[in-house]
Amino acid sequence: MLSRRTFLQSAASSAALVAGIGRATADETFETLAGRVARVQLAPDGYPETEIWGYDGMSPGPTLRVLQGARLQRRFLNDLPQPSSVHWHGIRIENAMDGVPGLTQDAVAPGDTFDYHFTVPDAGTYWYHAHNRSVEQVARGLNGLLIVEEADPLDIDRDQPLVLDDWLLNPETAQLDPDFAAQMDRSHGGRNGNLLLTNGTYDLTLTAQRHERLRLRLINVANARIFVLGLEGMEGWTVALDGMPLETPEPIEGPILLGPGQRADVIVDIVAFEGERAYVTRLDNERGEAQVTFDIRGTASLARRGAPRALPPNRMPDLRLDGSELVATLDMEGGAMGRMRRATYEGEELSFSQLAQRNQFWAFNGVVGMPETPLLEAGLGQTVRVNVINQTSFPHAMHLHGMHFSEIGPEDRLGPLRDTLLIGGGEQRQIAFNADNPGDWLFHCHMLSHAAAGMMTWLRVA
Ligand code: C2O
Ligand code: CU
């Protein structure tokens, strides 16, 4: 189908260069991470099981936990009916391990394996997911959590990952809606679902104690949905975004916003009383709905602790704005209710309606889908500044592979490090990063229907 074309077309270009890099030496032992078809209970009781594609047959897949600085090794076995690959989202990884077919490796054919092995430089909350025909494969369940642990344990009572997902199922059969290329999704807000899950469970209910201190690792693995979250019966601080610690924990006052691909680590204290409930709620409709419920049983301590300390910082390259940066602009155009008249697609200049006939809707700098030349070519260690101009009517979640960036605020103040920028319709933002990781890196919208319908580019670090 169309969604595959962009990826497969470019697959010939650079894949040959890196062939073989993913092979391990003979004496290394690799645990297997198998992508396979499985049937699991996703929908509430009473509904049939859903056929999914999951790592080790689960969605989310197994949670991989490694110590910061350690090596992660997994032999990906493709037991799926399509070629696939694994991308390690947010890991500042070496390019050949980044898992992008057509850019860093060949897609792994059904029955084949690929050995991923790399060190994890940064502690924090990361994830892994399929990166071939992502709009379909991630929707079918190919995602999992990758936790990189700090060397010293934190002063918390519990580490609680909460993987937020959004499935589009047929309400009668509980099977996935198989139209992953729906024009409506591709031209509007992406593939939004009708079943919201946490850790693969509908209406997840956990227990907690009054005054228990939890580290919630919130992670949005949905194809398109922006989660707008609130806390009830608990209070706390955001301590990390997209894996990276904030300099100082930030008291949570307003909603927590998570675009597709984004993460937030929050440290919360349960303030609800025994016998009550605490919630992570979804504020995306007026009513507010429980995403996760905590039944409060018992009391962990008589009083709350003081504010938590900041997480130890990861060792990041310097980022300084002194006017010598390489500057690039990313003009985002297209979509329904946009003003895009024409753009180049596969070397041809097409009108918006001709693009629509090809099920393509979005362009970066006038080009739909992977361009032949990169958005920018940076020298190693060069500071890069990108003006991101969203001329569309929709929000987007721009994800940069391989490096974290900071948003540039007023007076050139640098915001927290992120790997995914949530940008509203009509907004204009600036990001900067130190191009310290050599290779070709994807830069795309993590609303996966948008990526499949044009929102994809790449950059080169020499
Ligand atoms: Cu999480 Cu290119 O993706
Ligand atoms: Cu988008």
Side-chain angles (χ1 to χ4, degrees):
M1 300 278 293
L2 285 166
S3 57
R4 179 168 58 171
R5 183 158 31 164
T6 324
F7 268 144
L8 290 189
Q9 274 221 334
S10 47
S13 55
S14 59
L17 294 173
V18 297
I21 292 180
R23 305 277 165 262
T25 53
D27 57 333
E28 284 180 314
T29 51
F30 280 74
E31 266 178 69
T32 298
L33 182 69
R36 71 166 63 106
V37 181
R39 295 187 75 83
V40 298
Q41 189 69 42
L42 288 185
D45 286 344
Y47 284 91
E49 288 183 328
T50 304
E51 185 176 291
I52 65 153
W53 297 1
Y55 293 108
D56 293 354
M58 307 184 289
S59 184
T63 296
L64 308 180
R65 273 187 188 263
V66 262
L67 202 57
Q68 180 172 20
R71 233 170 129 66
L72 181 70
Q73 307 194 147
R74 281 294 182 286
R75 173 161 298 163
F76 170 59
L77 167 65
N78 184 358
D79 224 343
L80 302 163
Q82 283 176 10
S84 192
S85 68
V86 185
H87 168 58
W88 312 88
H89 183 123
I91 300 292
R92 297 188 299 134
I93 205 168
E94 60 193 279
N95 194 248
M97 295 289 112
D98 198 41
V100 181
L103 203 62
T104 69
Q105 68 167 98
D106 284 328
V108 183
D112 275 1
T113 64
F114 187 91
D115 291 342
Y116 290 98
H117 52 99
F118 50 89
T119 46
V120 285
D122 306 312
T125 303
Y126 303 93
W127 64 300
Y128 61 97
H129 62 83
H131 215 300
N132 196 42
R133 301 183 63 159
S134 314
V135 64
E136 170 175 358
Q137 296 192 0
V138 174
R140 287 190 184 276
L142 288 166
N143 58 65
L145 193 55
L146 169 51
I147 293 176
V148 183
E149 312 223 34
E150 295 83 12
D152 298 316
L154 309 184
D155 178 27
I156 53 167
D157 298 318
R158 197 193 329 169
D159 183 327
Q160 181 61 62
L162 298 173
V163 180
L164 310 172
D165 203 356
D166 177 25
W167 293 69
L168 185 58
L169 303 186
N170 177 315
E172 318 260 282
T173 63
Q175 300 311 302
L176 272 141
D177 182 320
D179 188 0
F180 299 100
Q183 184 162 341
M184 185 70 182
D185 295 344
R186 287 164 74 113
S187 58
H188 290 72
R191 180 182 165 102
N192 280 287
N194 52 10
L195 179 68
L196 291 142
L197 303 183
T198 310
N199 300 346
T201 302
Y202 175 71
D203 208 3
L204 179 68
T205 301
L206 303 166
T207 57
Q209 295 179 298
R210 176 166 166 78
H211 292 155
E212 191 176 358
R213 175 161 281 188
L214 310 176
R215 176 189 196 164
L216 304 179
R217 299 177 187 262
L218 300 164
I219 163 167
N220 181 354
V221 304
N223 271 46
R225 182 177 296 272
I226 298 167
F227 281 89
V228 184
L229 302 171
L231 304 177
E232 272 180 41
M234 54 178 102
E235 287 173 14
W237 300 260
T238 303
V239 294
L241 293 170
D242 293 353
M244 295 294 171
L246 300 185
E247 261 167 52
T248 37
E250 241 179 54
I252 298 169
E253 269 136 19
I256 303 166
L257 219 61
L258 283 184
Q262 292 188 315
R263 290 88 65 211
D265 284 50
V266 301
I267 290 182
V268 295
D269 296 334
I270 302 288
V271 295
F273 289 87
E274 279 192 65
E276 292 184 345
R277 285 176 165 163
Y279 301 94
V280 175
T281 58
R282 253 185 2 259
L283 306 172
D284 47 13
N285 65 27
E286 284 103 65
R287 285 181 301 151
E289 292 196 40
Q291 177 75 23
V292 185
T293 303
F294 294 85
D295 284 332
I296 310 307
R297 305 220 185 101
T299 297
S301 60
L302 285 177
R304 281 183 69 178
R305 276 166 267 201
R309 283 193 306 182
L311 303 182
N314 291 316
R315 224 199 289 134
M316 302 299 289
D318 272 352
L319 184 56
R320 248 179 264 115
L321 300 172
D322 57 9
S324 71
E325 307 84 78
L326 176 66
V327 181
T329 295
L330 186 79
D331 251 314
M332 314 174 71
E333 286 182 284
M337 298 165 281
R339 285 167 303 159
M340 186 167 83
R341 287 161 182 263
R342 45 204 323 110
T344 302
Y345 177 56
E346 296 183 335
E348 244 187 300
E349 166 136 350
L350 300 174
S351 68
F352 189 76
S353 64
Q354 287 171 316
L355 288 165
Q357 279 161 25
R358 290 161 173 79
N359 216 1
Q360 295 293 325
F361 295 96
W362 312 89
F364 289 156
N365 296 348
V367 179
V368 175
M370 277 293 265
E372 249 162 57
T373 50
L375 172 70
L376 59 94
E377 267 182 81
L380 191 63
Q382 191 170 16
T383 303
V384 178
R385 185 195 273 258
V386 185
N387 296 310
V388 185
I389 306 171
N390 181 2
Q391 307 198 41
T392 81
S393 303
F394 292 87
H396 300 286
M398 286 302 301
H399 172 47
L400 176 63
H401 285 218
M403 289 155 288
H404 275 63
F405 55 80
S406 288
E407 193 174 331
I408 305 175
E411 282 150 38
D412 273 5
R413 249 181 296 110
L414 293 170
L417 289 158
R418 303 220 63 150
D419 61 38
T420 305
L421 172 76
L422 186 61
I423 180 169
E427 278 185 10
Q428 192 166 339
R429 314 268 280 273
Q430 281 195 20
I431 60 169
F433 60 95
N434 181 326
D436 72 330
N437 200 356
D440 291 345
W441 302 105
L442 216 55
F443 186 33
H444 66 95
C445 182
H446 221 290
M447 293 170 171
L448 300 170
S449 305
H450 292 172
M455 289 203 140
M456 185 112 68
T457 187
W458 60 289
L459 50 93
R460 174 165 286 165
V461 180

